[in-house]
């Protein structure tokens, strides 16, 4: 796996490089084209801002991540904070370019099947709250994708105050 020990965490930020001026210019052009289309067809534009719980599971493997939450919580906090910093930067770019009407966080691997409610409150909720606050301060809606393991987390969801829960499987 990409992340297994402290030395890996120290290297991880180098994978999350800033877009260069050319990439940002291309993105601006794409945003302008997309906004024209959205206005013409009266549809919302969705902007994605990552999913730190998903990325953490891909970087470490779900079993390794679950064990680390118990045995090495500081390590998991550092991993999630590194990913969160990257995602917050991406949200800022979306906001700076007025690129979306709703910002979406993917949480396919953030449900209670993987993160029991107490661990969700410790590891996921505080970071998700930062993203929600940034989006709401910009006057946009915040959507959360999660399809399983939702019911044990409903109370936390209410506290977080996001606007849209997406891809809910029948419960």
């Amino acid at each position: 796996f990409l992340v297994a020990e402290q030395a890996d965490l120290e290297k991880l930020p180098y994978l999350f490089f800033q877009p260069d001026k050319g990439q940002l210019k291309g993105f601006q052009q794409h945003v302008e084209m997309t906004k024209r289309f959205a206005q013409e067809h009266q549809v919302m534009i969705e902007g994605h801002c990552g999913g730190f719980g998903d990325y953490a599971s891909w970087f470490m493997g779900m079993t390794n991540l679950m064990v680390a939450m118990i045995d090495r919580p500081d390590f998991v906090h550092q991993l999630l904070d590194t990913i969160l910093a990257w995602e917050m930067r991406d949200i800022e770019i979306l906001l700076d370019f007025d690129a979306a009407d709703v910002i979406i966080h993917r949480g396919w691997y953030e449900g209670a099947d993987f993160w029991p409610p107490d661990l969700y409150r410790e590891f996921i909720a505080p970071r998700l709250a930062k993203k929600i606050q940034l989006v709401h301060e910009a006057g946009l809606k915040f959507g959360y994708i999660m399809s399983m393991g939702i019911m044990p987390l409903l109370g936390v969801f209410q506290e977080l105050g996001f606007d849209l829960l997406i891809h809910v499987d029948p419960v």
Side-chain angles (χ1 to χ4, degrees):
F1 290 102
L2 183 65
V3 174
E5 57 191 43
Q6 187 64 38
D8 300 327
L9 287 182
E10 294 165 9
K11 298 171 190 168
L12 191 59
Y14 295 102
L15 295 178
F16 305 136
F17 54 87
Q18 290 273 72
D20 63 33
K21 289 181 183 181
Q23 291 169 320
L24 290 172
K25 183 177 181 180
F27 182 64
Q28 178 64 42
Q29 292 168 346
H30 179 75
V31 167
E32 291 168 3
M33 180 183 67
T34 302
K35 288 183 75 96
R36 282 193 302 273
F37 176 87
Q39 288 171 352
E40 180 181 330
H41 296 282
Q42 297 180 337
V43 295
M44 292 178 67
I45 302 171
E46 180 180 291
H48 288 261
C49 66
F52 45 78
D54 289 7
Y55 295 136
S57 68
W58 299 337
F59 290 161
M60 290 189 69
M62 185 52 76
T63 301
N64 296 333
L65 177 61
M66 293 174 83
V67 170
M69 283 188 271
I70 304 303
D71 292 345
R72 301 185 295 159
D74 291 342
F75 182 84
V76 175
H77 282 294
Q78 187 177 353
L79 171 61
L80 293 173
D81 286 341
T82 300
I83 299 167
L84 177 64
W86 168 51
E87 294 179 357
M88 294 293 277
R89 186 201 66 218
D90 286 353
I91 294 172
E92 292 281 357
I93 291 171
L94 290 170
L95 297 176
D96 288 347
F97 284 91
D98 191 26
D101 301 303
V102 60
I103 305 293
I104 306 296
H105 172 95
R106 57 173 293 129
W108 294 108
Y109 296 100
E110 293 178 4
D113 297 344
F114 305 108
W115 301 80
D118 60 329
L119 296 178
Y120 184 96
R121 279 187 185 280
E122 178 181 347
F123 291 102
I124 300 292
R127 291 168 179 87
L128 194 58
K130 290 178 182 180
K131 292 172 79 169
I132 294 166
Q133 179 180 358
L134 179 60
V135 170
H136 283 169
E137 286 174 354
L140 299 181
K141 301 293 184 191
F142 190 93
Y144 193 23
I145 296 175
M146 184 182 289
S147 61
M148 307 178 346
I150 292 169
M151 296 305 287
L153 301 173
L154 289 179
V156 184
F157 291 173
Q158 289 176 324
E159 293 167 16
L160 287 168
F162 56 83
D163 305 292
L164 180 64
L165 183 59
I166 304 167
H167 293 293
V168 178
D169 281 346
V171 290

